[in-house]
Amino acid sequence: MDPVAALKQIALYLERAGEATQKVRAFRRAAAKVAEIDPDEITTRAKAGTLTDLPGIGNSIALVIAESVMGGEPSYLVNLMGKQAGPVAGGGALRAALRGDCHTHSDWSDGGSPIREMAEAAIALGHEWIVLTDHSPRLRVANGLSADRLRRQLEVVAELNVELAPFLVLTGIEVDILLDGSLDQEDDLLAELDVVVASVHSQLRMPKAEMTERMLTAVANPHVDVLGHCTGRLVVGKGRPESEFDAPAVFAACAEYGVAVEINSRPERLDPPRRLLRQAVDLGCQFAIDTDAHAPGQLDWLPYGCERAEECGVGADRVINTRTADDLLAGIAARC
């Protein structure tokens, strides 16, 4: 087995399991280091037991490399595969119908990997497309993109799409919904993007009436295509309570304006909760089942959202990422 491929695959499984970023980066950096070295030297070092003399190669990683070049499957990888046979039991049919992911991040904002690595991981999962939705500028903790940086990213994506065709990286942003419901990016630039995900990231505990008005204003904005993780809750560790808002009013507005309600698949979010998801179903909303992935392995979190969607009666015909890229964009254009 190719040691570079083995190290990258381990990193993917660790990301999918939500392991510490530092641990994942160790394997990704080791993969990059090994890729720079002549394969014959790697084999020689594996036989001589000197792999750990290389910078960033500890005992565990050295064993993965040695087992790979000796023709076997690394035991570290085998163990990870055995532990991750499948994250959930349900939602299989809906997962099979998905063609892409409307909410992903790269190292241009707070993601851990370059755009190409995210795209290549998506291709390996069978996706036809992903939407790149790095953060907007006011979310400084996430290295949000200024207008100039976003324009540069659009150029990078255009070049990458030529190389990866027929796979597509659709242009997008996860734009902050500001306190008055306006969006944290220039209108002209938002109009250039394929998909805009709008999310609340600040003052999540503001009064219900004000939060409702804030969200309704954003949903009515013609640039918004998806309402991201609507309650802002976290369900692991210390957790974070849901934001309070008039859910029927917000979901009715989403249905009226053709804005998809995101079913966020991140295990620490699982947003919206089932009771609200069922309300959105009853009110006629469309949905986007997304990973909100910040690393390549997290792109494989879609089953978490698919299971919840299936439990709440979301049919594939109401999920926008069951569409081809052309149909997705045509639907967005028709709505606008």
Side-chain angles (χ1 to χ4, degrees):
M1 187 174 187
D2 174 52
V4 175
L7 292 167
K8 287 184 176 180
Q9 191 66 27
I10 287 170
L12 284 171
Y13 277 110
L14 291 173
E15 287 165 346
R16 191 170 80 173
E19 294 285 352
T21 300
Q22 183 177 0
K23 187 175 185 180
V24 175
R25 285 179 178 169
F27 281 93
R28 289 205 176 277
R29 287 170 179 163
K33 180 67 178 178
V34 172
E36 296 173 350
I37 300 173
D38 185 276
D40 290 339
E41 180 183 343
I42 293 297
T43 300
T44 299
R45 285 184 174 276
K47 292 177 178 178
T50 60
L51 286 168
T52 54
D53 292 344
L54 297 171
I57 307 298
N59 291 329
S60 296
I61 291 175
L63 181 59
V64 169
I65 297 169
E67 290 176 338
S68 297
V69 299
M70 298 303 179
E73 197 166 30
S75 55
Y76 198 118
L77 178 58
V78 171
N79 290 336
L80 283 175
M81 292 171 65
K83 293 176 181 177
Q84 299 184 34
V88 294
L94 191 51
R95 171 64 186 91
L98 298 185
R99 296 172 180 265
D101 191 329
C102 293
H103 188 169
T104 71
H105 297 270
S106 75
D107 61 359
W108 280 64
S109 63
D110 62 342
S113 294
I115 301 169
R116 176 184 287 276
E117 285 190 15
M118 295 296 291
E120 290 173 346
I123 292 169
L125 288 171
H127 288 352
E128 298 176 10
W129 51 266
I130 57 171
V131 186
L132 180 61
T133 54
D134 280 317
H135 288 285
S136 60
R138 292 202 190 185
L139 200 61
R140 294 180 182 177
V141 69
N143 192 29
L145 273 63
S146 65
D148 287 343
R149 289 182 64 218
L150 180 53
R151 289 189 178 95
R152 290 200 299 273
Q153 186 183 79
L154 298 185
E155 296 174 358
V156 170
V157 169
E159 294 174 0
L160 189 58
N161 279 334
V162 172
E163 299 175 30
L164 297 179
F167 181 84
L168 279 174
V169 178
L170 300 178
T171 60
I173 190 171
E174 184 182 14
V175 64
D176 265 24
I177 299 174
L178 303 179
L179 297 183
D180 62 356
S182 61
L183 305 180
D184 180 32
Q185 191 49 273
E186 297 175 5
D187 281 352
D188 289 348
L189 187 49
L190 291 174
E192 292 183 33
L193 303 176
D194 293 321
V195 179
V196 172
V197 177
S199 306
V200 172
H201 287 105
S202 61
Q203 295 199 25
L204 298 175
R205 305 307 299 154
M206 69 189 305
K208 180 176 180 178
E210 294 176 23
M211 180 64 82
T212 300
E213 186 62 28
R214 179 183 184 183
M215 296 173 75
L216 288 174
T217 300
V219 167
N221 189 305
H223 296 308
V224 174
D225 305 305
V226 178
L227 177 62
H229 47 70
C230 62
T231 77
R233 74 172 187 173
L234 295 177
V235 295
V236 298
K238 294 182 179 179
R240 183 168 65 206
E242 301 168 21
S243 295
E244 296 184 3
F245 60 96
D246 185 340
V250 170
F251 294 149
C254 287
E256 177 183 355
Y257 292 106
V259 172
V261 174
E262 180 180 71
I263 302 174
N264 191 291
S265 302
R266 290 191 70 85
E268 74 270 26
R269 285 193 182 274
L270 299 178
D271 198 0
R274 289 178 180 85
R275 74 179 195 287
L276 295 186
L277 182 50
R278 292 189 177 98
Q279 287 184 33
V281 171
D282 292 342
L283 287 164
C285 292
Q286 296 187 78
F287 301 91
I289 302 176
D290 299 330
T291 59
D292 192 358
H294 285 63
Q298 295 175 8
L299 289 166
D300 204 15
W301 280 347
L302 285 171
Y304 292 107
C306 290
E307 181 183 57
R308 295 169 66 79
E310 182 182 76
E311 289 174 358
C312 296
V314 177
D317 59 329
R318 295 173 66 175
V319 179
I320 64 173
N321 44 325
T322 62
R323 303 172 186 171
T324 65
D326 286 344
D327 287 346
L328 174 70
L329 297 179
I332 289 173
R335 180 183 63 80
C336 297

